[in-house]
């Protein structure tokens, strides 16, 4: 058996025996559905300066420009469907008494696959929020016809209900994550397809590990977070997860 097979078998045993599982996902889980990641080759932040399209200041200065970028992301995301990695996580949820998934992704491919217990720490791209009255509603029109769109309730400006740089992460997602971690021992922590670039992501992964969890990283490449993992499985999530969770 080669070292990768040994690690995969060890991870399988951890998952087989785990009753409480905490999962963190990032852009890598959706990569095989055709959604671009942020960093690395072909990443969104290679082609676009995030300060021009993903900050409150950019929106204040030129909302139509920011919306054009989000419109193109919406059009690109609309036809995407969940991949085998998303689907394997649904089977995992159904077979465990305690499961919680925290995603950094603004797509809804986890929900489309059937995941029920999850929170979006960076919001959801299909949700629109009025900057004046705060109303939030879902609108799945792939490409909005009039930019910037306005609120039906008060005519204020609508923005994507996603977290931009310099903004607070989603409070309901913080609370759901912390409640899950506070209420039980964690048997397995899966960190999938993310650079774990933000301190709160690394913090929650390590907090779960500190509650007795074995931390397994699944990623095509090594990350700055890899050394914190008990087991690292290298490869695409859409291949590794179905094998790991079979
Ligand atoms: P990144 O683009 O920073 O990282 C994607 C990770 O996925 C990398 O570590 C890749 O090696 C890995 N990867 C790529 N394809 C994969 C595959 N098929 N299977 C497994 N792993 C794969 O994305 P995130 O870490 O999710 O925030 O980025 C976090 C946040 O940074 C995003 O939510 C976004 C961005 O700025 C906001 O917009 C607020």
């Amino acid at each position: 058996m080669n070292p990768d097979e040994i690690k995969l078998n060890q991870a399988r045993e951890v998952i087989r025996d785990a009753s409480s599982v905490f999962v963190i996902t990032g852009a890598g889980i959706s990569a095989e559905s055709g959604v671009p990641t942020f960093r690395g080759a072909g990443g969104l932040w290679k082609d676009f300066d995030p300060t021009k399209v993903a900050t409150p200041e950019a929106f204040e200065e030129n909302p139509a420009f920011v919306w054009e970028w989000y419109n193109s992301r919406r059009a690109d995301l609309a036809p995407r469907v969940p991949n085998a990695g998303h689907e394997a996580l649904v089977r995992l949820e159904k077979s465990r008494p305690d499961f919680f998934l925290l995603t950094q992704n603004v797509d809804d491919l986890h929900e489309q696959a059937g995941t029920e217990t999850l929170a979006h720490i960076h919001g959801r791209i299909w949700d629109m929020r009025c900057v004046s009255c705060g109303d939030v509603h879902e609108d799945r029109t792939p490409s909005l016809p009039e930019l910037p769109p306005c609120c039906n309730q008060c005519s204020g400006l609508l923005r994507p209900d996603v977290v931009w740089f310099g903004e607070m992460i989603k409070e309901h997602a913080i609370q759901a994550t912390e409640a899950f971690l506070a209420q039980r021992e964690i048997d397995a922590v899966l960190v999938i397809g993310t650079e774990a670039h933000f301190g709160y992501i690394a913090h929650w992964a390590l907090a779960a590990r500190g509650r007795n969890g074995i931390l397994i990283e699944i990623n095509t490449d090594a990350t700055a977070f890899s050394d914190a993992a008990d087991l690292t499985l290298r490869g695409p999530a859409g291949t590794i997860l179905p094998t790991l969770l079979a």
Side-chain angles (χ1 to χ4, degrees):
M1 233 187 268
N2 67 40
D4 284 347
E5 287 168 343
I6 293 171
K7 278 198 271 181
L8 183 62
N9 279 344
Q10 287 172 329
R12 270 181 156 153
E13 277 176 32
V14 172
I15 299 291
R16 190 196 57 207
D17 298 341
S19 61
S20 61
V21 183
F22 178 52
V23 181
I24 296 177
T25 63
I29 186 96
S30 296
E32 289 154 88
S33 294
V35 182
T37 60
F38 291 93
R39 299 168 186 87
L44 285 172
W45 294 157
K46 292 271 179 215
D47 290 337
F48 294 95
D49 175 355
T51 61
K52 301 277 191 314
V53 290
T55 61
E57 293 78 18
F59 188 71
E60 210 167 291
E61 201 179 306
N62 194 342
F65 179 78
V66 170
W67 262 115
E68 273 165 32
W69 191 72
Y70 277 94
N71 236 9
S72 72
R73 282 195 72 196
R74 288 163 69 99
D76 184 51
L77 272 176
R80 307 289 167 196
V81 292
N83 64 55
H86 297 105
E87 283 159 6
L89 290 173
V90 177
R91 294 194 293 278
L92 180 65
E93 177 177 20
K94 286 193 195 312
S95 62
R96 306 301 139 138
D98 282 323
F99 175 97
F100 183 76
L101 190 153
L102 180 69
T103 188
Q104 296 163 84
N105 299 345
V106 297
D107 68 53
D108 65 355
L109 296 178
H110 284 302
E111 289 97 322
Q112 280 191 43
T115 295
E116 288 178 359
T117 315
L118 84 165
H120 286 263
I121 196 70
H122 294 155
R124 298 171 74 244
I125 200 165
W126 302 114
D127 287 345
M128 321 264 275
R129 173 155 54 92
C130 175
V131 297
S132 301
C133 71
D135 178 65
V136 177
H137 70 277
E138 189 184 75
D139 182 337
R140 299 186 66 93
T141 314
S143 203
L144 297 162
E146 273 178 44
L147 300 181
C150 291
C151 177
N152 283 336
Q153 319 282 329
C154 76
S155 322
L157 212 51
L158 291 174
R159 60 164 280 179
D161 193 27
V162 298
V163 173
W164 285 331
F165 288 91
E167 293 188 316
M168 269 297 291
I169 50 178
K170 292 291 177 188
E171 185 59 37
H172 64 88
I174 299 177
Q175 282 176 12
T177 303
E178 298 204 328
F180 182 79
L181 295 181
Q183 283 162 12
R184 57 188 55 75
E185 297 279 286
I186 308 295
D187 299 317
V189 189
L190 299 182
V191 177
I192 306 166
T194 178
E195 288 290 306
H197 177 77
F198 294 113
Y200 44 88
I201 295 300
H203 164 79
W204 280 320
L206 294 175
R209 182 172 185 256
R211 294 189 67 79
N212 220 21
I214 305 289
L215 202 162
I216 302 168
E217 180 189 57
I218 297 165
N219 199 304
T220 44
D221 298 286
T223 70
F225 187 69
S226 299
D227 285 345
D230 297 300
L231 288 165
T232 51
L233 306 181
R234 293 277 161 261
T239 305
I240 300 241
L241 283 169
T243 313
L244 176 67
L245 307 174

